[in-house]
Amino acid sequence: MWVVATAGHVDHGKSTLVRALTGMEPDRWAEERRRGMTIDLGFAWTVLPSGATVAFVDVPGHERFVPNMLAGVGPVPAALLVVAADEGWMPQSAEHLAALDALGVAFGLVVVTRADLADPGPVAARARAEVAGTSLGSVEVVPVSAVTGAGLPELRAALDRLGARLPAPLVDAPVRLWVDRCFTVRGSGTVVTGTLRAGRLRVGDELAVAADGSRVRVRGLHRLGVARDEVSAVSRVAVNLRGVARDRVGRGDALVTPEAFGRSELVDVRVSGAPVADLPGSVMLHVGSAAVPVRVRPLGPDTARLRLARPLPLLVGDRAVLRDPGRRLVAGGVTLLDVAPPPLARRGAAAARAGVLAGLDGRADPVGEVRRRGLVRAGDLARMGVPVTVTPVVGDWLADDGHWVRLGARLVAEVSQYAAEHPLESGAPVEVLRQRLGLPERSLVEALVRAPLRVHAGRVVAGSVSVLPEPVARAVDRLGVELRSRPFRAPEADRLVELGLGPREIGAAVRAGALLRLAGSVVLLPGAVEQAARVLAGLPQPFTLSAARQALDTTRRVAVPLLELLDGRGVTRRLPGDVRTVVSR
């Protein structure tokens, strides 16, 4: 099936035409039928001569209800522009056409109704001329009379030809269902309806309410009034939701595939149909079925930044309408160029940004997006509607080649600077480098490391030099000589200072893994744990602290923290009575 929306001036016979084509009543409210005027969206469907099903979204034509019209047209791929032969081209004919053009609707028909009341020729010629300069371009024009039935067979055939020209839907894409109705059904709960433009829905699927990210479950699906286990695009669909109250979702909300869309409050756009400088500072943005107040910040002659009153799940390339509600007219159309733009904090940033936007056309450009952002997660890019075709540098991080090379050069400089600032430390900590380079993750720092640099014990060091600064390395060697014959006789603090191992030097050696700190200034060589385990395993089990001290040939100052370390590593186990045993392995 496929979906088409009506458009056109009030009382030009849109609902009458839908009724004649489908045999269904699109006006849902008694007030609409009493007044003979469509107020809200109506829905109907029929089977065409080819066997294809077309669903209609019937929209109101009165200027007061243009927001309702835009909610119905926004998610729909094709339109039926209706003009009455006896009244001709009217204000809402022009405004509805401007809205279709702003939304980039490229498929449609013009239907001249009431052909039994006046010659449809002049109106058809005027409509054809008006439409030619819009996104619809050259369209078929079909004169009909819903009263006599004249032209209806020709219109059905034209609808078949229109449907055959529509592009194949992206059924494997993420779901973004703009909600145009929400109601409750006794015994079923909350039901929402919308036009499924892409993707597929199944009973049991989990979806997210885009407004707040909350999760809901698809309890049931209906397409054209028939229950379905699965519905694919393009379709009119009713979704029965589990776990959501009626007041939590409504027209203008969207149900989306979880984690597949971002939530944009700030967007950069290209404006068509009106100079940016002429736009009011505050207008309404109509996108999908949503209508959201926005603040306009002009950037270039045809580009602007919009700040939305509430976040929406927007994609690069989305088309939308700007409308001035005070003057009740379409102020312009917009193409979304960037749905996650950078801040404009520095002097001259707006002008520079306008220069960047001048080269964008709203088409997804993976390489260009990575180049402009320098560094971006693949998932964030996908949530903007940009396919990921660039190979990550680490994890799911994508980097522009030039930016990555510059970061590598800065890394080398920062490592050298840190070494000059901290001569006793064995290289620059990865976390410090992350902060200095302004990177979001430590893994990016490690991915930047190239020879002769290397990562050792959480630090970036030069591979051509010792991990330890030379003075500290010599002091550790002198300590090693003293501990060679009595490995558990840790020197006192003053002796360590004589050897050249003050607190800072000890800290550097411990970080480099050249010394083992037991407590304070009590240090041994790194192999002391394994050596102590072998000695203690030779004692009668269990053993006391005193027996351990004698076997290790050390003092209580060393034996107590050493045994506690062995306990902590599971080498020994402390038993009642203040004795220990070596854990067999």
Side-chain angles (χ1 to χ4, degrees):
M1 70 170 291
W2 53 283
V3 183
V4 61
T6 63
H9 194 76
V10 62
D11 199 32
H12 275 204
K14 295 184 296 297
S15 298
T16 302
L17 178 65
V18 171
R19 199 177 297 117
L21 285 169
T22 67
M24 302 174 68
E25 175 56 67
D27 288 338
R28 295 179 292 116
W29 309 114
E31 176 70 6
E32 294 177 304
R33 293 189 288 272
R34 183 183 67 80
R35 295 170 62 180
M37 182 177 70
T38 300
I39 297 172
D40 204 353
L41 302 178
F43 310 96
W45 57 89
T46 190
V47 177
L48 297 173
S50 67
T53 299
V54 57
F56 295 93
V57 179
D58 188 35
V59 306
H62 196 282
E63 62 175 344
R64 286 188 298 158
F65 305 122
V66 169
N68 290 351
M69 174 267 181
L70 292 171
V73 171
V76 172
L80 212 62
L81 182 61
V82 176
V83 189
D86 59 335
E87 292 193 6
W89 194 258
M90 298 289 282
Q92 257 52 61
S93 306
E95 184 172 17
H96 283 206
L97 178 60
L100 295 175
D101 186 38
L103 291 169
V105 177
F107 300 93
L109 298 171
V110 170
V111 181
V112 179
T113 56
R114 301 179 189 166
D116 57 319
L117 299 181
D119 179 6
V123 173
R126 171 71 185 277
R128 186 178 283 109
E130 295 283 351
V131 170
T134 70
S135 58
L136 285 168
S138 178
V139 297
E140 283 194 68
V141 180
V142 185
V144 302
S145 169
V147 174
T148 68
L152 289 179
E154 290 78 5
L155 178 56
R156 289 177 177 275
L159 284 167
D160 252 335
R161 290 190 293 273
L162 175 62
R165 292 195 295 118
L166 293 176
L170 301 174
V171 296
D172 294 325
V175 167
R176 180 176 55 166
L177 181 70
W178 292 102
V179 175
D180 52 36
R181 273 197 304 164
C182 183
F183 52 91
T184 57
V185 175
R186 185 183 298 274
S188 295
T190 301
V191 176
V192 301
T193 69
T195 299
L196 182 63
R197 184 75 177 266
R200 55 164 54 92
L201 287 170
R202 301 180 182 88
V203 173
D205 279 355
E206 184 180 61
L207 298 173
V209 179
D212 58 12
S214 59
R215 303 300 175 89
V216 295
R217 187 75 63 178
V218 176
R219 182 178 182 179
L221 290 169
H222 278 73
R223 186 181 72 175
L224 307 185
V226 178
R228 306 277 182 172
D229 292 328
E230 178 179 319
V231 176
S232 298
V234 171
S235 294
R236 283 295 305 172
V237 60
V239 187
N240 182 198
L241 299 175
R242 188 192 309 275
V244 59
R246 163 67 182 83
D247 58 359
R248 276 185 51 206
V249 62
R251 176 175 293 176
D253 285 328
L255 299 179
V256 299
T257 300
E259 312 300 333
F261 293 85
R263 300 172 68 237
S264 300
E265 294 182 85
L266 203 65
V267 295
D268 287 347
V269 303
R270 171 159 288 109
V271 180
S272 62
V276 171
D278 292 346
L279 291 176
S282 179
V283 292
M284 293 294 291
L285 177 74
H286 296 265
V287 58
S289 63
V292 179
V294 297
R295 298 290 300 175
V296 180
R297 177 177 180 176
L299 295 176
D302 65 347
T303 55
R305 175 159 292 187
L306 307 181
R307 184 173 294 278
L308 282 64
R310 63 182 176 91
L312 293 176
L314 302 176
L315 301 175
V316 170
D318 277 346
R319 300 291 293 266
V321 173
L322 291 178
R323 188 169 186 270
D324 183 352
R327 298 169 62 192
R328 289 186 179 175
L329 55 80
V330 171
V334 299
T335 301
L336 272 70
L337 304 178
D338 193 337
V339 296
L344 302 176
R346 300 177 181 176
R347 183 183 298 274
R353 182 61 177 167
V356 172
L357 296 177
L360 304 183
D361 59 8
R363 286 181 289 189
D365 176 13
V367 175
E369 286 291 347
V370 174
R371 182 179 64 252
R372 286 186 290 273
R373 298 174 189 279
L375 196 66
V376 62
R377 284 188 180 277
D380 290 340
L381 213 57
R383 281 185 283 275
M384 299 175 200
V386 179
V388 178
T389 60
V390 181
T391 302
V393 292
V394 63
D396 71 338
W397 285 102
L398 312 175
D400 172 63
D401 290 343
H403 182 62
W404 193 246
V405 168
R406 291 188 291 272
L407 281 174
R410 285 182 57 199
L411 175 71
V412 172
E414 292 291 352
V415 170
S416 298
Q417 182 176 341
Y418 191 90
E421 295 169 350
H422 305 85
L424 294 180
E425 295 192 21
S426 56
V430 170
E431 177 59 23
V432 171
L433 293 171
R434 183 195 69 78
Q435 295 175 17
R436 290 191 177 187
L437 294 175
L439 295 174
E441 282 190 4
R442 292 165 56 104
S443 62
L444 289 164
V445 177
E446 296 173 352
L448 281 168
V449 173
R450 298 289 185 272
L453 300 181
R454 58 193 174 92
V455 180
H456 177 83
R459 290 173 177 261
V460 178
V461 301
S464 59
V465 300
S466 168
V467 172
L468 279 174
E470 186 60 30
V472 180
R474 288 198 301 269
V476 171
D477 288 343
R478 289 192 291 270
L479 175 61
V481 172
E482 291 195 3
L483 291 176
R484 189 170 299 151
S485 58
R486 304 177 76 183
F488 305 107
R489 281 281 181 172
E492 298 287 347
D494 54 355
R495 177 56 184 159
L496 289 173
V497 172
E498 291 175 5
L499 292 171
L501 292 170
R504 293 177 60 197
E505 290 79 5
I506 290 174
V510 169
R511 286 191 296 271
L515 289 179
L516 172 68
R517 190 198 301 271
L518 298 181
S521 60
V522 180
V523 294
L524 298 174
L525 297 180
V529 170
E530 292 76 12
Q531 194 172 355
R534 289 194 296 271
V535 171
L536 297 176
L539 292 175
Q541 306 292 313
F543 56 86
T544 64
L545 171 62
S546 177
R549 181 181 59 76
Q550 294 177 29
L552 296 172
D553 188 20
T554 189
T555 63
R556 183 181 180 87
R557 181 178 70 93
V558 176
V560 170
L562 178 56
L563 287 173
E564 290 175 350
L565 177 62
L566 292 171
D567 292 344
R569 294 190 179 183
V571 176
T572 58
R573 183 169 66 250
R574 192 166 185 172
L575 304 174
D578 200 25
V579 296
R580 288 176 170 83
T581 182
V582 174
V583 177
S584 59
R585 295 179 182 274

